[in-house]
């Protein structure tokens, strides 16, 4: 299903802090009401001594609240400045696309939101303190508000520990590669398995162009498109693939078998953005893994072990996709009729995406060539017969490149020996 709002919120940093600030204002109002109710009840029972004790306690807590208020914003600035430097280093070492892992991290957003909420709460609590010390005249004693602030400070400290741990893990290539793989598998599990069927589509009767802003096609509202096609009695075919860049006027939907649905029925069915996302993009995970491997194989980095780690995950993803329908999938209505045909990368496309660039730049690194040979051999054992040709082609091209660029026969034999650990 299309979820542009959810994807937008996950890709932004403003929503969680804004929601936390609104929530903390509500909590402060509730705590203020509770403080007023406590004082009124104690005064009704003429427990003035207890009111005086509360005044003494909150006067002691005021120092803590004041310290929190003055130090929290500085703490936020220092922590996130260091974190942004760490993220910049990670993006330079791996690929700029890992920044989205930091932006979409729940612990990062939660930590930032709680930090800001704690700062705002401390300011609100300080406004509740009054100079009145007579238990018979005081209207409210901010005891619940002060305790709430102490609780928020405690939560901030716990989240700070978790946040530092998460940020340090972001700088480790194994964690980054694992996060990419996990998200890629979520896309694979959500990918429909529907076959288009043997019956050919009716003749194309029209096309619908993109009318929004230019950008990367991030996702489509499958359910809405199926409903629109069923009501009109047609079949819609998505022309670009998820991840393609479209501009206003680019044909995005082809209509087969009748008149096109109205613009109103097709509203909010296509979402574009400034960059690709994992939401429905089957090839984006492989693209990121390949990018990290290429960066590792560059002369400036020269880290073939990282490339081997990426190849491990590429094999994992391709093994999962080896038996799935690819190329095009059909989405059916409740009666079982195909109403939307969506192009997805073919098996050959995915194999090329996973191996082509790494293979080209790995010739001088026997650790990587050995891992590629082992990867292709493993996939040849797992893939059905009709999906073996792309794998055999990449194996032949790798052998040809090594034989051409490595002069020594012993070195060639060593570089083309299958090894799952590269050089174990």
């Amino acid at each position: 299903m299309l979820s542009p709002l959810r994807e937008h919120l996950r890709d932004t940093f403003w929503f969680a802090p804004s929601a936390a600030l609104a929530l903390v204002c509500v909590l402060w109002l509730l705590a203020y009401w509770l403080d007023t109710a406590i004082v009124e009840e104690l005064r009704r029972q003429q427990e003035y001594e207890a009111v005086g004790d509360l005044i003494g306690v909150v006067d002691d807590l005021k120092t803590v609240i004041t310290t929190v208020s003055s130090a929290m914003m500085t703490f936020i600035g220092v922590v996130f400045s260091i974190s942004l430097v760490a993220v910049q280093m990670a993006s330079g070492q791996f690929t700029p696309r890992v920044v989205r892992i930091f932006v979409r991290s729940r612990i990062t957003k939660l930590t930032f939101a709680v930090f800001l909420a704690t700062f705002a709460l401390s300011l609100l609590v300080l406004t509740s303190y009054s100079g009145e010390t007579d238990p018979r005249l005081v209207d409210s004693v901010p005891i619940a508000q002060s305790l709430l602030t102490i609780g928020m400070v405690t939560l901030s400290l716990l989240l700070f520990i978790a946040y530092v741990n998460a940020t340090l893990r972001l700088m480790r290539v194994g964690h980054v590669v694992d996060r990419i793989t996990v998200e890629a598998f979520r896309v694979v599990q959500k990918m429909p398995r529907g076959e288009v069927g043997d019956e050919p589509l009716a003749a194309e009767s029209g096309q619908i162009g993109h009318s929004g802003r230019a950008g990367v096609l991030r996702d489509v509202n499958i359910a809405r498109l199926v409903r629109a096609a069923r009501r009109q009695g047609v079949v819609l075919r998505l022309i670009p693939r998820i991840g393609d860049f479209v501009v206003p006027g680019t044909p995005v939907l082809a209509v087969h078998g009748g008149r096109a649905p109205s613009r109103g029925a097709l509203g909010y069915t296509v979402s574009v953005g400034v960059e690709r996302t994992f939401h429905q993009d089957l090839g984006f995970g492989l693209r990121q893994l390949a990018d990290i491997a290429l960066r590792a194989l560059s002369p400036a980095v020269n880290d073939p072990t990282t490339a081997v780690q990426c190849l491990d995950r590429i094999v994992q993803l391709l093994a999962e996709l080896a038996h799935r329908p690819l190329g095009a999938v059909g989405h059916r209505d409740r009666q079982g009729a195909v109403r939307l045909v969506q192009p997805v990368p073919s098996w050959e496309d995915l194999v090329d995406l996973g191996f082509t660039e790494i293979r080209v730049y790995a010739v001088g690194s026997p650790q990587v060539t050995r891992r590629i040979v082992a990867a292709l051999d493993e996939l040849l054992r797992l893939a059905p017969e009709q999906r073996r040709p792309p794998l055999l082609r990449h194996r032949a091209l790798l052998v040809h490149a090594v034989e051409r660029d490595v002069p020594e026969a012993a070195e060639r034999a060593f570089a083309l020996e299958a090894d799952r650990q590269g050089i174990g």
Side-chain angles (χ1 to χ4, degrees):
M1 291 181 61
L2 181 70
S3 54
L5 179 59
R6 184 183 67 177
E7 287 299 305
H8 173 70
L9 295 180
R10 290 187 66 187
D11 285 333
T12 57
F13 229 77
W14 63 267
F15 178 73
S18 300
L21 290 175
L23 179 60
V24 82
C25 289
V26 174
L27 291 176
W28 172 73
L29 290 174
L30 292 175
Y32 183 84
W33 172 83
L34 180 59
D35 288 332
T36 303
I38 291 173
V39 172
E40 288 179 352
E41 180 63 21
L42 291 176
R43 288 175 59 184
R44 187 181 66 81
Q45 297 180 8
Q46 297 185 351
E47 295 287 345
Y48 298 114
E49 183 176 350
V51 176
D53 292 339
L54 290 179
I55 294 175
V57 171
V58 298
D59 284 341
D60 293 337
L61 291 175
K62 185 177 182 180
T63 303
V64 178
I65 305 300
T66 303
T67 303
V68 171
S69 176
S70 60
M72 201 67 193
M73 206 62 192
T74 302
F75 181 63
I76 293 172
V78 172
V79 169
F80 279 86
S81 295
I82 296 174
S83 301
L84 291 176
V85 172
V87 172
Q88 185 177 10
M89 292 175 60
S91 67
Q93 182 179 357
F94 305 135
T95 170
R97 277 155 289 283
V98 302
V99 176
R100 67 189 307 277
I101 297 178
F102 176 83
V103 173
R104 293 165 69 93
S105 170
R106 290 187 176 92
I107 187 64
T108 301
K109 294 178 180 178
L110 180 61
T111 302
F112 190 48
V114 172
F115 282 6
L116 287 179
T118 302
F119 172 70
L121 179 62
S122 64
L123 295 180
L124 293 172
V125 173
L126 287 176
T127 63
S128 300
Y129 280 90
S130 64
E132 184 60 60
T133 58
D134 189 346
R136 299 176 182 274
L137 300 177
V138 69
D139 293 326
S140 178
V141 179
I143 180 67
Q145 300 171 62
S146 300
L147 294 177
L148 178 61
T149 305
I150 298 301
M152 290 290 291
V153 171
T154 304
L155 179 60
S156 298
L157 294 176
L158 295 175
L159 284 175
F160 172 67
I161 297 172
Y163 174 73
V164 170
N165 178 65
T167 303
L168 291 177
R169 292 177 67 190
L170 181 62
M171 301 181 68
R172 294 163 49 193
V173 63
H175 174 70
V176 172
V177 169
D178 181 67
R179 283 287 300 274
I180 293 172
T181 307
V182 169
E183 290 213 44
F185 264 91
R186 288 175 183 166
V187 180
V188 172
Q189 296 303 322
K190 291 188 296 184
M191 188 183 73
R193 295 174 177 265
E195 299 278 2
V196 176
D198 297 330
E199 296 184 6
L201 297 177
E204 183 178 314
S205 54
Q207 291 185 344
I208 301 172
H210 177 56
S211 59
R213 60 173 180 162
V216 176
L217 181 61
R218 300 192 304 181
D219 55 14
V220 294
N221 191 329
I222 294 171
R224 191 179 178 94
L225 286 172
V226 169
R227 286 197 302 268
R230 178 178 56 83
R231 290 170 183 168
Q232 199 68 20
V234 298
V235 176
L236 297 176
R237 177 172 55 86
L238 188 67
I239 298 174
R241 288 196 320 212
I242 301 297
D244 288 354
F245 190 86
V246 296
V247 299
T250 299
V252 291
L253 289 170
V255 184
H256 295 264
R259 297 178 57 187
S262 65
R263 285 285 182 180
L266 296 178
Y268 304 104
T269 55
V270 175
S271 174
V272 300
V274 296
E275 62 179 353
R276 296 168 69 175
T277 71
F278 271 108
H279 186 47
Q280 293 179 353
D281 197 336
L282 188 60
F284 189 44
L286 288 173
R287 177 70 273 165
Q288 291 191 80
L289 292 172
D291 285 348
I292 295 174
L294 291 173
R295 184 69 62 93
L297 290 173
S298 67
V301 178
N302 195 23
D303 183 15
T305 303
T306 294
V308 168
Q309 288 181 276
C310 293
L311 284 167
D312 293 340
R313 300 300 187 166
I314 289 172
V315 173
Q316 181 184 0
L317 285 170
L318 290 177
E320 177 67 22
L321 292 166
H323 297 276
R324 289 177 176 264
L326 297 169
V329 295
H331 302 278
R332 301 177 181 271
D333 59 17
R334 295 178 181 178
Q335 286 70 42
V338 174
R339 293 299 181 185
L340 174 65
V341 177
Q342 179 183 0
V344 297
S346 66
W347 171 252
E348 185 175 2
D349 293 334
L350 294 172
V351 171
D352 290 343
L353 178 58
F355 289 109
T356 300
E357 294 168 307
I358 300 176
R359 171 178 54 76
V360 169
Y361 290 99
V363 175
S365 176
Q367 180 180 0
V368 183
T369 58
R370 288 161 63 93
R371 181 63 184 103
I372 294 176
V373 173
L376 292 171
D377 288 348
E378 184 172 2
L379 290 172
L380 283 168
R381 288 191 295 270
L382 295 174
E385 184 67 28
Q386 64 272 20
R387 291 189 171 179
R388 292 167 58 92
L391 301 171
L392 293 172
R393 173 169 55 85
H394 278 282
R395 201 182 194 287
L397 289 172
L398 178 64
V399 172
H400 176 73
V402 171
E403 290 178 346
R404 182 192 61 213
D405 295 340
V406 180
E408 295 292 334
E411 290 289 347
R412 290 198 298 269
F414 180 79
L416 293 175
E417 183 180 348
D419 187 342
R420 291 185 177 182
Q421 295 185 25
I423 299 177

